[in-house]
Amino acid sequence: MDKGLASAQKTTVGWGLSRPVQVALVVIPVLALVLSLFVGRYPARPEEVVRLLAAEALNLDRLSFPEALRVAILQVRLPRVIMGILIGASLSVSGACFQGIFRNPLVSPDILGVTNGAAFGAALAILLGAPISVVQTAAFASGLLSVGLTYGLSRFYRTTPTLTLVLAGVIVGAFFSALVSFLKYTADPLEKMPAIVFWLMGSLAKASPGDLGFAGPLMIGAVIALLLVRWRVNVLSMGDEDAKALGMDVERHRLVIICFCTLATSAAVSVAGVIGWVGLVIPHIGRMLVGPDHKLLLPASASLGGAYLLLMDNLARSVTTAEVPLGIFTALVGAPFFAYLLRRGSGWS
């Protein structure tokens, strides 16, 4: 490794957060997860939930609890809140990485077309009457395919690499968006069309232990990988010329980060549908709190993103008698808040 790059890595990983901030970033998502277990139609006292979780963890007498309570907490709420934490963290970390490597504060995880690609896969599977497991697999695979097409298309142009990637992402995203519109146009308006539209609005309503087993390891693995290489995002955010001067293989490292971000985002979208604004807004909040250093920003984004998505999900399932799609709340809250951030400055540098 070049001495300049080694020095950049040492500088980046040598900084740390103060102890109160570290504690807060750990406590906030944990507290949000615990409180979310008490939100729902089925009434459950906090002491009942705590005793039930302790009994499950310690393998104690499980038959002393009502079956309805066990199902509500262990089969419905617990997978849902864990999924919310992981999805929020995945989208936020991916958004922070993309904003760094593309050097653009307006970039979100769907900039390379992964969301529209996943939407097409899910819509096609729904139109064909496939089971939910096939819908999720199709969405995940189609999201990966769309980013692969974006990267392949960008290789045909010999201009600024980051610019061509973004433009190729716009092209591929628009193409898959048109395909989704065509599928909605041809779908049965009484059954298939509402299912496609509801999926596109995003929700955790159908989160299950099986969904967690499918997407959880993918999101956890991708986020951990991004946290391990976050110092490289710092170097890439300096610009291609400076990164090359420090001895970095810019193209290879950018591709690795894009692959991990795509893996995390595609897995999140495959089980929850399209949930916007999280990956755009949360990294800016993180910069306000910890600054632009990605060594600090990525863990902060993961913590804040998970807690934020749980908060939005709690609102979505409690403000009305019928659950509101999660994507509606993230947009209603995210858009005005992002306008506020733009007005006061979000700490971007």
Side-chain angles (χ1 to χ4, degrees):
M1 180 181 291
D2 185 86
K3 292 183 178 179
L5 187 57
S7 176
Q9 179 183 5
K10 182 178 180 181
T11 301
T12 302
V13 302
W15 299 346
L17 295 172
S18 64
R19 182 57 61 86
V21 176
Q22 292 178 11
V23 172
L25 291 178
V26 173
V27 170
I28 288 175
V30 173
L31 184 62
L33 187 150
V34 173
L35 294 178
S36 297
L37 293 175
F38 308 136
V39 178
R41 305 299 177 191
Y42 182 83
R45 296 192 304 273
E47 60 271 17
E48 288 182 324
V49 176
V50 173
R51 287 193 298 110
L52 174 61
L53 295 177
E56 288 292 325
L58 300 176
N59 198 24
L60 300 177
D61 183 15
R62 306 173 182 176
L63 299 179
S64 60
F65 299 95
E67 184 62 22
L69 177 66
R70 287 171 45 80
V71 171
I73 301 301
L74 300 179
Q75 300 297 320
V76 178
R77 293 185 192 174
L78 187 59
R80 179 171 186 153
V81 298
I82 295 177
M83 188 74 74
I85 287 280
L86 293 179
I87 291 174
S90 297
L91 295 177
S92 300
V93 170
S94 298
C97 287
F98 275 163
Q99 290 172 9
I101 65 175
F102 290 120
R103 308 181 69 197
N104 189 334
L106 301 179
V107 166
S108 62
D110 60 354
I111 187 65
L112 300 183
V114 60
T115 299
N116 289 333
F120 168 73
L124 180 60
I126 293 173
L127 185 64
L128 297 176
I132 186 63
S133 59
V134 176
V135 173
Q136 294 171 351
T137 303
F140 177 72
S142 186
L144 298 182
L145 174 63
S146 65
V147 176
L149 291 175
T150 296
Y151 191 81
L153 182 62
S154 69
R155 307 290 291 177
F156 287 101
Y157 302 95
R158 299 188 179 278
T159 57
T160 306
T162 54
L163 177 61
T164 56
L165 266 175
V166 172
L167 293 178
V170 172
I171 295 170
V172 173
F175 176 74
F176 278 108
S177 178
L179 291 179
V180 171
S181 297
F182 177 76
L183 293 179
K184 289 194 293 184
Y185 176 77
T186 58
D188 177 10
L190 298 179
E191 295 183 6
K192 302 297 177 59
M193 177 69 165
I196 294 174
V197 172
F198 185 80
W199 191 92
L200 292 174
M201 290 190 289
S203 176
L204 295 176
K206 296 183 179 180
S208 67
D211 299 338
L212 190 59
F214 167 70
L218 296 172
M219 290 186 285
I220 292 173
V223 169
I224 290 176
L226 290 171
L227 292 176
L228 292 176
V229 301
R230 60 191 186 275
W231 71 271
R232 292 177 172 85
V233 183
N234 270 353
V235 179
L236 289 173
S237 67
M238 299 168 60
D240 289 0
E241 295 301 324
D242 289 338
K244 291 177 180 178
L246 291 172
M248 173 174 279
D249 186 340
V250 173
E251 189 70 19
R252 181 168 64 88
H253 284 89
R254 183 188 291 121
L255 177 59
V256 168
I257 293 171
I258 287 175
C259 288
F260 285 129
C261 289
T262 300
L263 188 64
T265 304
S266 190
V269 174
S270 68
V271 292
V274 180
I275 301 176
W277 290 93
V278 178
L280 176 61
V281 174
I282 296 301
H284 287 275
I285 299 177
R287 289 188 190 91
M288 294 171 60
L289 296 176
V290 303
D293 179 12
H294 290 84
K295 191 259 181 179
L296 311 177
L297 178 59
L298 263 60
S301 296
S303 173
L304 296 172
Y308 171 76
L309 197 64
L310 279 187
L311 173 62
M312 293 297 100
D313 185 51
N314 291 338
L315 291 175
R317 55 182 166 143
S318 60
V319 295
T320 64
T321 55
E323 183 169 330
V324 180
L326 182 56
I328 294 177
F329 267 100
T330 57
L332 287 176
V333 176
F337 190 74
F338 188 64
Y340 164 75
L341 291 179
L342 290 178
R343 179 172 178 80
R344 78 180 300 276
S346 61
W348 176 266
S349 61

